[in-house]
Amino acid sequence: MKRYFILLAWLVGILLPMAWFGRFSESYQHMFNTIFGPPWMHVVTHAALFAVLAYLLAAVISALAGGQGNGRVILLVMIAALVIALLQEIIQLGYKGRQFGYAEVFDLGVDMAGVCLGLALFWRRNLPRSSRKRREDE
C-alpha cells in the first residue's frame, strides 16, 4: 500500500505545475527561477523526476505481475511514462498559453531518457544475485 501512495504522490508532484505558483508569490517565483532557470537544471530535473517515476512504476507493475514478464513491465512503464510526460507538457502549455513546440519535444526526450535510467536502476537493483553473479563471471 505504501508503494502505491508514494507513486500517487510522485505523480501529483510531476503533474502539478510548480512554476504556476509563482503567480501568487513574487519571492517564490524568484526562488523557482533561481533554482530551475538554468537549462542544465531543467534537464536534470526532468530526467530525475522521470527516472524515479519509472522506478516506482516498475516496482508497482512488477509486483502486480508477480515479478514475471519483464518485457511486459518495461512496455507498460514506457507507455505510462510517455502518457504522463505528455499530460505534464499539456498542463504546462495550458497555464503558459503556448502551443506545443520544440521545447516540449525536447522535454519529452529528456523525460524518456530518465525513464530508461529509472528502468535500468530498477533492474540492476532487483536482478537476482545468482543472475548478477553469473553475468559478472562471463
Side-chain angles (χ1 to χ4, degrees):
M1 187 64 161
K2 180 181 174 185
R3 190 179 319 190
Y4 299 110
F5 178 74
I6 293 170
L7 177 60
L8 180 62
W10 198 259
L11 273 170
V12 169
I14 286 176
L15 294 176
L16 195 64
M18 300 307 285
W20 178 74
F21 291 112
R23 294 181 173 187
F24 307 107
S25 169
E26 197 172 305
S27 60
Y28 175 86
Q29 185 66 47
H30 178 70
M31 180 198 65
F32 185 88
N33 289 341
T34 300
I35 295 171
F36 299 108
W40 67 270
M41 186 56 153
H42 184 82
V43 169
V44 168
T45 303
H46 265 264
L49 284 170
F50 279 85
V52 173
L53 174 67
Y55 190 97
L56 293 171
L57 282 170
V60 167
I61 294 170
S62 182
L64 290 172
Q68 301 297 317
N70 291 339
R72 179 175 281 160
V73 172
I74 291 170
L75 180 63
L76 289 172
V77 169
M78 296 291 279
I79 291 169
L82 182 58
V83 168
I84 293 164
L86 283 167
L87 189 55
Q88 180 196 41
E89 293 302 327
I90 290 167
I91 290 169
Q92 286 180 5
L93 289 173
Y95 87 83
K96 290 179 180 178
R98 285 192 359 225
Q99 291 198 359
F100 199 88
Y102 172 78
E104 289 70 36
V105 172
F106 180 80
D107 283 352
L108 290 172
V110 172
D111 295 344
M112 296 314 289
V115 168
C116 291
L117 176 63
L119 283 169
L121 291 172
F122 177 80
W123 259 275
R124 175 68 179 143
R125 184 167 187 272
N126 293 291
L127 193 64
R129 290 198 187 279
S130 59
S131 296
R132 203 178 303 154
K133 176 98 172 97
R134 206 172 327 123
R135 288 182 187 195
E136 289 171 358
D137 290 343
E138 292 177 354

